[in-house]
Amino acid sequence: MRKYFIAGNWKMHKTASEAVALASELVKELKDGPHKYMIAPSFTALDAVSKVVKGTNILLGAQNMSTDEQGAHTGEVSVLQLKDLGVQVVILGHSERRHTYKEDDAMINKKVKLALSHGLEVILCVGELLEEREAGKAEKVCEEQTRKGLAGVSADDLKKVTIAYEPVWAIGTGKTATPEDADAIHKFTRGIIADMYGKAAADAMVIQYGGSMKADNAQALLAKENIDGGLIGGAALKADTFKPIALCK
Ligand code: PEP
């Protein structure tokens, strides 16, 4: 049985004190929650939020990390620095990183392997652009991003990987994939994992949906067989909007 994994990506929102306030509220609200939880504040708030979530049922996530452990990489943040702050999970390959900051599959794969080699969990985001969906290429794009993102990852390390299917056209737009369309891609992606690692690994793989997930559509999405949680942006920025998703049955 896969456990739902509900994760909040706070993107470039909230000062450290605002992040602490929200994290403190969530610690109280979700303390008896039945699912796995993570929040990913900005780098600047990680240290402060780390102290709030330490020892709770909410994991600390980062939104990105460098391809390198250390060195002359102005403006980057390394896996060693994240671990030092108590980060347990890192989101990699988010569509904003892929499309705005031009991260390619090779770069994302390097980050995935580096994070895993340091014991971090990884949320690997995959998803197609609107024009790719309209051209009938959604599966092809997700397959390529999954295979390339996981290239060289051992079966053992795969246990620390969550895949987030995030159709780019649904992120922050208010448009959500229908539960049926999302489930179809999740099922297809699970098939790719089965092909790469075998059925048991595919059955165990948690695949989150992301893209305008909100209280009013979460239940229908999560009811689908292959949707095992959510990576949530906008609705994760307030306890009032995150809590109903996080406590969804
Ligand atoms: C995201 O950025 O991962 C995301 C899913 O955002 P939103 O929920 O705002 O669409």
Side-chain angles (χ1 to χ4, degrees):
M1 247 312 252
R2 297 182 295 269
K3 191 171 177 168
Y4 287 158
F5 183 10
I6 310 288
N9 171 14
W10 295 356
K11 306 194 184 186
M12 200 175 69
H13 295 287
K14 300 195 183 291
T15 61
S17 57
E18 288 165 348
V20 163
L22 176 55
S24 308
E25 251 188 286
L26 292 175
V27 163
K28 275 189 233 132
E29 300 281 6
L30 303 185
K31 74 175 190 328
D32 299 316
H35 311 309
K36 175 174 173 179
Y37 300 115
M38 180 210 81
I39 51 176
S42 298
F43 291 134
T44 51
L46 282 172
D47 190 28
V49 171
S50 179
K51 295 176 177 94
V52 178
V53 297
K54 192 170 183 196
T56 74
N57 61 342
I58 301 179
L59 297 171
L60 184 65
Q63 300 171 18
N64 187 27
M65 63 170 232
S66 170
T67 48
D68 291 84
E69 256 173 28
Q70 58 189 318
H73 299 285
T74 302
E76 291 290 294
V77 176
S78 91
V79 64
L80 302 176
Q81 294 165 332
L82 295 180
K83 283 200 69 174
D84 184 52
L85 295 179
V87 167
Q88 295 146 299
V89 187
V90 60
I91 301 169
L92 296 173
H94 190 278
S95 66
E96 287 149 19
R97 301 302 317 172
R98 289 180 189 269
H99 298 292
T100 313
Y101 299 100
K102 307 295 173 213
E103 293 193 8
D104 62 15
D105 288 311
M107 187 184 208
I108 293 160
N109 175 248
K110 198 171 170 197
K111 295 182 181 194
V112 167
K113 288 190 288 193
L114 182 62
L116 292 170
S117 75
H118 283 275
L120 289 185
E121 285 189 41
V122 166
I123 297 178
L124 172 64
C125 302
V126 303
E128 80 284 0
L129 296 163
L130 182 59
E131 57 264 36
E132 292 167 335
R133 171 154 285 260
E134 287 173 347
K137 291 185 182 155
E139 288 187 348
K140 183 174 176 283
V141 170
C142 292
E143 171 166 5
E144 205 165 293
Q145 292 178 353
T146 302
R147 286 190 188 275
K148 290 185 176 171
L150 293 176
V153 170
S154 70
D156 208 34
D157 274 347
L158 187 76
K159 294 177 187 146
K160 294 193 297 245
V161 176
T162 296
I163 293 176
Y165 168 56
E166 300 206 306
V168 182
W169 47 271
I171 297 179
T173 58
K175 291 184 195 152
T176 320
T178 64
E180 292 69 30
D181 284 348
D183 193 54
I185 297 283
H186 283 230
K187 187 175 176 195
F188 173 81
T189 305
R190 200 176 300 289
I192 302 299
I193 299 297
D195 185 54
M196 293 174 78
Y197 293 96
K199 187 174 180 313
D203 286 345
M205 172 59 67
V206 170
I207 306 180
Q208 298 171 320
Y209 170 79
S212 299
M213 199 187 230
K214 304 210 162 26
D216 61 6
N217 59 24
Q219 191 83 57
L221 286 158
L222 292 171
K224 288 291 175 191
E225 188 185 339
N226 289 287
I227 301 182
D228 311 313
L231 179 56
I232 294 127
L237 293 174
K238 287 186 187 155
D240 283 356
T241 49
F242 190 62
K243 185 180 154 190
I245 306 173
L247 297 181
C248 239
K249 290 277 169 352

